[in-house]
Amino acid sequence: MTSSTFPGPLGPLPDAIPLGVAVFRAPSERPAPVRFASGFERFEQFVLDQGNDPGRLARDVSALWTFLAEHPEALESPELARAAAIFAGNAVAVAHPAATWKVRDEPEIGTRTRSIPVENLVLMMVEHPERRDGFVGTLETWDQEDQDEAEREALDRDSREPVLVLPPEGFERPPFPQRTYVDEHGNVIEYGTRWPLEGPPHDAYSRVSNPDRFAPLLLDVDALVDHLQRWYEVDVRRSTDEDGTKRVHLRPSTGSSLTITGTAEYVRVTAGALYDVVLPDCSCDACDETAESEAGRLEDTVLAIAGGGLQERYPLGRRRWLHTRVVHIDGGWSGGSGAPGPDRSAEQLEQAAATLRSLDDGWWPAWTLRAGAESVARR
């Protein structure tokens, strides 16, 4: 099936794949990707009825955004709204030829680096005309994002995995004090299990309640520092700011230095040349994190850095992104890619790049164990 509106054959939307489900097929069994989906014809006729050219809107996402902002009635009928969403997704595929369709909770158009739920997209076009230019800018940088992701994946394929050097005794988390929090109705808040399968309410994303529930992380920090100081050759210096913020600077004889900053509401870990992570990364009610869940992330990060599991590569691609990888002592890993922190000066970034070039594939060495400590190596 073809169309005069979009520059390619039309196909049906792919079968839906529920969130959290992975489907593996042999290459010969995989369906052909769909770049332009059928089902937009009702909206195409609507555009014609308004005296507009569907082909022009298909080629110009900015013009499509303006059209929908001026014709909110396009979303009043479920059938027409669905057709508008498919039309918008096809228009995105015109702007970014690598994009194809998939269906999760709703139809999406995208690549491995970015996927856009199209029903939300047309709703945003109607309700937020001021976001048009930002979205168009995103489309303009998408190709570079795909190229950077391909480069990162190639580096990961060629990268060696570190051999972690660990002390003979593992870390034991201290007991956390149990506190009870209640909501405005007096009901106990069960953080970590608050939301059923349908997810949190919309207003939970902008609400933060009881951020001091993360205060026990400071106990975990103290225990981690004691553990590291017991087993590794590391100089430890503690300080407390006037506002009560606690800082611990750890300077090992080999490997990456480590600084942990903590308050009753968060813990921040900086290490290596540019590595920087805050726990929790979001404390809103929707995310529903707990001190226990964040303590697990804190321990994974700190113990991995000491064991030689921190990799930093910078700069990558035309956008000069930072790629980090932290290999945990249990075999898992965390990390990601993105721009370095905005507080870094050009001179600091150049110094970081020079430092990382001196490392073996960006891997920071393990800290040196104290004399007499028998190491346990884990891949």
Side-chain angles (χ1 to χ4, degrees):
M1 183 187 304
T2 60
S3 164
S4 60
T5 301
F6 295 102
L10 304 179
L13 288 173
D15 294 336
I17 300 176
L19 287 172
V21 174
V23 177
F24 298 94
R25 296 188 178 99
S28 60
E29 299 176 349
R30 295 172 188 167
V34 176
R35 182 181 172 202
F36 299 114
S38 56
F40 61 86
E41 293 77 13
R42 186 186 293 264
F43 179 75
E44 183 179 47
Q45 185 60 52
F46 175 82
V47 173
L48 289 170
D49 292 344
Q50 309 308 311
N52 281 268
D53 176 13
R56 182 178 71 88
L57 301 187
R59 296 186 299 271
D60 187 345
V61 172
S62 180
L64 174 61
W65 198 296
T66 299
F67 175 84
L68 278 168
E70 294 174 349
H71 296 85
E73 67 273 18
L75 303 190
E76 292 177 358
S77 159
E79 295 79 9
L80 183 56
R82 173 84 169 185
I86 295 175
F87 188 100
N90 287 344
V92 169
V94 172
H96 189 64
T100 57
W101 285 92
K102 66 179 179 182
V103 180
R104 294 290 191 178
D105 284 350
E106 65 176 273
E108 300 179 11
I109 186 76
T111 63
R112 293 183 63 182
T113 60
R114 183 183 299 275
S115 192
I116 302 171
V118 294
E119 292 174 6
N120 283 339
L121 175 61
V122 293
L123 185 62
M124 184 166 60
M125 289 178 170
V126 167
E127 296 182 348
H128 296 284
E130 76 281 0
R131 297 183 184 178
R132 179 193 62 188
D133 293 345
F135 183 81
V136 171
T138 297
L139 294 180
E140 292 172 350
T141 62
W142 197 346
D143 184 61
Q144 187 60 53
E145 290 178 22
D146 286 347
Q147 293 180 39
D148 290 349
E149 177 67 11
E151 179 179 351
R152 186 195 64 77
E153 289 180 347
L155 287 171
D156 282 346
R157 285 194 299 269
D158 297 336
S159 178
R160 66 170 180 83
E161 287 294 296
V163 177
L164 301 185
V165 178
L166 308 175
E169 293 184 14
F171 172 75
E172 184 174 343
R173 182 185 303 171
F176 286 178
Q178 298 300 310
R179 293 188 59 183
T180 300
Y181 296 95
V182 297
D183 60 20
E184 64 273 18
H185 304 295
N187 299 317
V188 174
I189 301 175
E190 300 289 349
Y191 284 110
T193 58
R194 298 183 69 186
W195 311 121
L197 294 178
E198 59 266 24
H202 183 72
D203 65 344
Y205 290 93
S206 57
R207 186 176 65 243
V208 177
S209 64
N210 305 308
D212 62 329
R213 69 184 187 273
F214 298 107
L217 289 178
L218 295 175
L219 299 175
D220 208 35
V221 169
D222 288 340
L224 279 166
V225 171
D226 290 345
H227 175 81
L228 296 176
Q229 194 171 23
R230 176 187 178 190
W231 292 108
Y232 292 99
E233 294 181 0
V234 59
D235 176 65
V236 177
R237 298 183 182 182
R238 293 177 169 88
S239 63
T240 303
D241 295 349
E242 292 183 359
D243 63 359
T245 300
K246 296 184 177 181
R247 302 181 193 278
V248 186
H249 302 277
L250 298 101
R251 301 291 182 264
S253 59
T254 58
S256 166
S257 295
L258 179 66
T259 298
I260 306 175
T261 305
T263 72
E265 298 184 3
Y266 73 90
V267 167
R268 181 179 185 181
V269 178
T270 56
L274 296 169
Y275 183 77
D276 190 343
V277 64
V278 177
L279 307 170
D281 53 9
C282 180
S283 55
C284 77
D285 285 6
C287 290
D288 198 30
E289 303 292 357
T290 67
E292 288 75 14
S293 67
E294 296 311 291
R297 294 179 60 200
L298 174 64
E299 293 155 12
D300 284 342
T301 300
V302 170
L303 297 176
I305 292 171
L310 172 62
Q311 182 188 42
E312 296 180 284
R313 289 182 292 197
Y314 172 82
L316 293 182
R318 293 182 181 178
R319 292 183 296 174
R320 298 176 63 84
W321 271 19
L322 166 68
H323 174 62
T324 60
R325 181 177 170 88
V326 178
V327 176
H328 306 159
I329 63 175
D330 63 0
W333 68 276
S334 58
S337 299
D343 56 335
R344 305 280 186 170
S345 67
E347 182 179 356
Q348 289 173 322
L349 292 175
E350 186 53 43
Q351 183 178 1
T355 298
L356 296 177
R357 283 195 296 268
S358 69
L359 301 179
D360 181 7
D361 199 24
W363 290 105
W364 286 89
W367 293 7
T368 300
L369 290 169
R370 292 191 179 278
E374 182 181 353
S375 68
V376 178
R378 296 183 184 175
R379 291 186 180 274

